[in-house]
């Protein structure tokens, strides 16, 4: 069931429904309407609430654009032998803080990313699956025996590969992330890395060598939506808010002309593996 964290998907659904009745509204207009439905003053207020609560649907984003969203592609579900789905069951590593768990459920697959709700995926081919409640698809890479060796999550314009890992490794990652969430302490280096990232994006020349390949690719694609960060002006303060459900550090960044909320995480080599931004008070 959808809740306030699904506001963007709800706004897209509203826009499509009104468009079918020849009532044109922009995505921004629909976001404002959804915010009012949830009793919030405006979209920025609701976005801040979503940021604190954490994402509702699986995603590994670079930075979330606030511009027009493309319509979700219509997909055709096909029947798959439930026995074949057992080849995909298991754990896949997103990063050193998050695991993607895949569980067969009849003719479907249920997938869950660390810190997020489970989502049902439907087959559109023997190796490709799609979700209906979020715009996300998964492709499995299989070996000669038909067993998946890895998967690729397709979402927000990014293709995110995840290798299969064993249950012991998945448990170790989950335990480490749970400990970080429990302690609520900032990881060394995240504040400085965030400062450099914001300055680089604002200048139009971020240091992609400081990012993981997936994050660098996503950032390149989304630079046009990130450019408004320059309008916020120089950074005045960065305040640590806590640790998110996937072990990422959450910061409030105040600029001369506004503020934003950021989530950021570094890998064991100090490379930025996760970063995304939403408007903040």
């Amino acid at each position: 069931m959808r809740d306030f964290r699904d506001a963007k998907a709800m706004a897209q659904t509203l826009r499509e429904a009104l468009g079918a009745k020849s009532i044109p509204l922009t995505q921004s207009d629909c976001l404002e309407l959804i915010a009012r439905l949830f009793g919030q003053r405006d979209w920025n207020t609701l976005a801040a609430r979503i940021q604190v609560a954490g994402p509702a649907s699986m995603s590994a984003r670079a930075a979330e654009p606030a511009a027009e969203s493309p319509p979700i592609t219509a997909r055709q579900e096909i029947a798959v032998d439930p026995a074949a789905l057992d080849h995909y069951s298991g754990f896949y590593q997103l990063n050193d803080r998050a695991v993607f768990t895949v569980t067969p459920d009849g003719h479907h697959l249920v997938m869950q990313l660390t810190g997020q709700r489970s989502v049902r995926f439907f087959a559109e081919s023997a190796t490709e699956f799609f979700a209906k409640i979020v715009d996300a698809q998964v492709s499995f890479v299989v070996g000669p025996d038909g067993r998946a060796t890895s998967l690729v999550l397709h979402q927000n314009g990014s293709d995110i590969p995840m290798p299969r890992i064993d249950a012991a490794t998945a448990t170790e990652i989950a335990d480490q992330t749970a400990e970080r969430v429990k302690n609520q302490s900032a990881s060394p280096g995240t504040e400085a890395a965030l400062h450099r990232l914001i300055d680089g994006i604002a200048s139009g020349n971020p240091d992609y060598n400081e990012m993981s390949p997936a994050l660098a690719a996503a950032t390149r694609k989304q630079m046009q939506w990130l450019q408004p960060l320059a309008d916020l002006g120089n950074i005045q303060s960065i305040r640590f808010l806590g640790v998110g459900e996937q072990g990422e550090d959450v910061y409030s960044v105040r600029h001369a002309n506004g503020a934003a909320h950021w989530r950021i995480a570094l890998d064991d080599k100090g490379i930025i593996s996760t970063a995304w931004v939403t408007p903040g008070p």
Side-chain angles (χ1 to χ4, degrees), residues 242-265:
V243 177
E245 293 181 346
Q246 290 183 16
E248 74 281 10
D249 289 346
V250 184
Y251 287 95
S252 174
V253 181
R254 185 158 296 281
H255 298 256
N257 304 315
H261 284 153
W262 281 87
R263 290 177 181 248
I264 185 170

Side-chain angles (χ1 to χ4, degrees), residues 75-151:
R75 299 181 181 276
Q76 183 66 44
E77 179 184 356
I78 66 169
V80 176
D81 181 0
L85 300 182
D86 290 336
H87 292 297
Y88 305 136
S89 178
F91 307 95
Y92 302 81
Q93 184 173 354
L94 172 62
N95 50 44
D96 57 1
R97 298 166 290 97
V99 173
F100 203 77
T101 303
V102 177
T103 306
D105 182 18
H107 293 274
H108 312 115
L109 291 173
V110 175
M111 307 189 193
Q112 185 172 20
L113 188 60
T114 300
Q116 297 186 2
R117 297 177 300 167
S118 60
V119 176
R120 188 181 299 274
F121 278 70
F122 303 83
E124 60 178 341
S125 77
T127 59
E128 298 177 329
F129 295 77
F130 67 97
K132 294 182 179 180
I133 64 171
V134 294
D135 188 12
Q137 302 82 45
V138 166
S139 302
F140 288 94
V141 179
V142 300
D145 60 355
R147 186 171 181 267
T149 58
S150 64
L151 64 76

Side-chain angles (χ1 to χ4, degrees), residues 14-31:
L14 175 63
R15 183 185 177 204
E16 292 172 354
L18 292 175
K21 296 181 179 294
S22 300
I23 305 175
L25 282 181
T26 66
Q27 182 75 359
S28 296
D29 289 336
C30 291
L31 287 170

